[in-house]
């Protein structure tokens, strides 16, 4: 029987290999705890699958063509690409400290602009997109959108294009404004739309479909909806993603962690006062899809629990039952990445069960 991971109650049977697309960062600022949550959970999903013999081919993009990035680079008096490279270096340093393994592929949007032009041309040819005044718009208003999330933090936004036929139609390509980085296209000099960048990178690296589509809950719609719909309209392969891992929003005092809110907890600063494994455990010791608040003392509590787990792992095995407990840890992790359930078994049973949990969760 092939190993099967269950996510959100649905099985994801796999034979030999899993293709995972992880929505990466726009490298214009320092990594905060909300960013880190997505990438730590993506890393755990890959570790669990590798533990049961599945090869994971992961693609984590870098959105280095973006209006926010351009504005930040201009304020710093730097070129967008060099500014992004510095941001990417800092992000990679934080991820390495947290034990997040490097992805198999890490495409950068500026290297895939030709792919977006090809995507736009093909969508226009298929009647799934249209040109307006130098922009190419995907007919997203015709697709069935997912049910709106009850939590307003679990949605992303993009201003409607003024000349669009429908307010939900999504930019595949748009004209550049003066001073922006621009690339040639059949519709004039311009730059890719956000959703189209991810669609082009995923199609180029992983092909017409993926097994896991991973990102923060706020990327569920419209970003992932439109990215998937563009890919499906191009290839005819449905669904684009067999399963999705939308990681719950990290909040402070009930407000989504964001630079605009001024409530960031920076990974680099947390690592100055606490072990990296404690920060990682703080992010993992909860259901992956649930939004949560970082409470005062939570990181100290995570560090204390980590010490208990290390103590449990140092205990002697208890004979035949220990192997069963280690197996139970993996059963919990394969059932919707139930980290709290796996850790409860590990702490109670100790020995091989605790060592298994610590290794698979990257807490060793």
């Amino acid at each position: 029987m092939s190993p099967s991971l269950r996510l959100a109650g649905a099985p994801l049977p796999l034979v030999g290999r899993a293709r995972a697309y992880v929505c990466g960062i726009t490298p214009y600022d320092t990594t905060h705890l909300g960013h880190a949550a997505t990438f730590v959970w993506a890393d755990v999903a890959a570790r669990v699958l590798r533990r049961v013999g599945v090869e994971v081919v992961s693609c984590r993009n870098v959105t280095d063509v973006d209006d926010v990035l351009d504005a930040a680079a201009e304020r710093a008096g730097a070129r967008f690409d060099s500014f992004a490279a510095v941001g990417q270096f800092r992000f990679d340093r934080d991820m390495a400290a947290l034990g997040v393994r490097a992805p198999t592929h890490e495409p950068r949007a500026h290297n895939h602009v030709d792919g977006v032009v090809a995507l736009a041309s093909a969508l226009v040819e298929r009647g799934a997109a249209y040109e307006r005044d130098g922009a190419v718009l995907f007919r997203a208003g015709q697709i069935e959108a997912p049910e709106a999330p009850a939590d307003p933090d679990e949605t992303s936004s993009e201003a409607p294009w003024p000349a669009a036929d429908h307010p939900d139609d999504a930019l595949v390509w748009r004209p550049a404004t003066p001073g922006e980085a621009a690339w040639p296209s059949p519709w004039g000099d311009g730059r890719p739309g956000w959703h189209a960048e991810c669609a082009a990178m995923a199609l180029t690296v992983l092909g017409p479909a993926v097994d896991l589509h991973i990102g923060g809950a706020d990327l569920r719609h419209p970003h992932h909806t439109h990215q998937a719909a563009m890919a499906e309209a191009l290839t005819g392969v449905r669904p684009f993603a067999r399963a999705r891992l939308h990681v719950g929003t990290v909040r402070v005092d009930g407000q989504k962690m964001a630079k605009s809110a001024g409530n960031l907890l920076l990974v680099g600063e947390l690592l100055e006062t606490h072990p990296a494994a404690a920060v990682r455990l703080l992010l993992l010791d909860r259901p992956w899809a649930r939004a949560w608040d970082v409470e005062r003392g939570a990181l100290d509590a995570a560090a204390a629990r980590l010490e208990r787990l290390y103590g449990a792992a140092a205990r002697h095995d208890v004979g035949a039952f220990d192997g069963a407990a280690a197996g139970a840890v993996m059963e919990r992790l394969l059932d919707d990445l139930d980290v709290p359930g796996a850790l409860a078994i590990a702490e109670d049973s100790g020995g091989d069960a605790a060592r298994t949990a610590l290794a698979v969760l990257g807490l060793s």
Side-chain angles (χ1 to χ4, degrees):
M1 178 181 294
S2 63
S4 180
L5 173 67
R6 293 180 65 84
L7 286 175
L12 180 65
L14 296 160
V15 178
R17 188 175 74 142
R19 300 153 301 169
Y21 186 84
V22 185
C23 268
I25 61 160
T26 302
Y28 75 96
D29 203 0
T30 311
T31 312
H32 61 69
L33 206 60
H35 293 142
T38 292
F39 306 116
V40 168
W41 275 109
D43 183 64
V44 164
R47 287 171 181 263
V48 169
L49 289 172
R50 291 189 182 106
R51 184 75 173 202
V52 295
V54 175
E55 176 193 1
V56 179
V57 180
S58 58
C59 174
R60 188 180 71 207
N61 72 291
V62 180
T63 305
D64 60 0
V65 179
D66 184 270
D67 295 353
V68 174
L69 171 64
D70 284 359
E74 184 177 358
R75 289 193 298 271
R79 281 175 50 93
F80 83 95
D81 48 0
S82 58
F83 186 81
V86 173
Q88 184 67 28
F89 168 79
R90 291 171 176 162
F91 169 77
D92 289 342
R93 180 185 59 195
D94 288 339
M95 291 301 101
L98 290 176
V100 174
R101 295 175 178 175
T104 315
H105 304 280
E106 196 169 31
R108 287 160 171 76
H110 80 270
N111 290 326
H112 290 265
V113 174
D114 287 347
V116 175
V117 172
L119 172 66
S121 297
L123 291 174
V124 170
E125 184 178 345
R126 286 179 170 265
Y130 57 94
E131 188 269 341
R132 286 285 186 279
D133 302 328
V136 176
L137 292 130
F138 177 66
R139 298 187 186 279
Q142 298 180 358
I143 66 175
E144 183 179 353
E147 182 180 351
D151 187 342
D153 285 340
E154 296 190 357
T155 186
S156 47
S157 62
E158 189 174 63
W161 190 250
D165 288 353
H166 188 285
D168 289 340
D169 287 353
L171 284 166
V172 186
W173 185 261
R174 70 163 178 84
T177 59
E180 285 185 324
W183 291 262
S185 83
W187 315 282
D189 289 355
R191 47 201 278 134
W194 176 31
H195 316 312
E197 288 176 338
C198 274
M201 287 185 278
L203 289 165
T204 300
V205 175
L206 297 176
V210 301
D211 298 295
L212 264 174
H213 198 179
I214 304 173
D218 59 326
L219 300 183
R220 184 193 317 269
H221 182 75
H223 184 50
H224 284 179
T225 304
H226 291 174
Q227 175 191 350
M230 288 178 189
E232 291 168 0
L234 177 78
T235 66
V237 176
R238 294 178 175 83
F240 167 72
R242 297 177 59 216
R244 288 183 167 86
L245 191 75
H246 287 125
V247 178
T249 304
V250 181
R251 298 170 173 161
V252 176
D253 296 327
Q255 189 173 20
K256 177 183 173 181
M257 189 176 295
K259 184 175 183 179
S260 59
N263 61 358
L264 300 184
L265 294 175
L266 302 181
V267 169
E269 292 179 358
L270 295 177
L271 293 176
E272 291 176 1
T273 57
H274 289 81
V279 178
R280 187 175 170 107
L281 181 59
L282 172 67
L283 296 170
L284 293 175
D285 195 5
R286 63 194 72 258
W288 56 266
R290 184 181 300 168
W292 57 284
D293 266 76
V294 183
E295 298 176 353
R296 187 180 301 275
L299 196 46
D300 289 335
R305 184 165 203 199
L306 186 65
E307 287 302 315
R308 295 199 303 272
L309 287 164
Y310 288 160
R315 297 205 302 261
H316 292 298
D317 292 347
V318 293
F321 293 103
D322 193 71
V329 165
M330 288 308 303
E331 288 176 7
R332 297 315 313 146
L333 293 176
L334 286 167
D335 187 4
D336 210 19
L337 301 177
D338 180 9
V339 171
L343 291 178
I345 295 169
E347 196 169 342
D348 183 60
S349 300
D352 195 39
R355 291 190 288 272
T356 297
L358 289 169
V360 176
L361 295 177
L363 298 171
S364 299

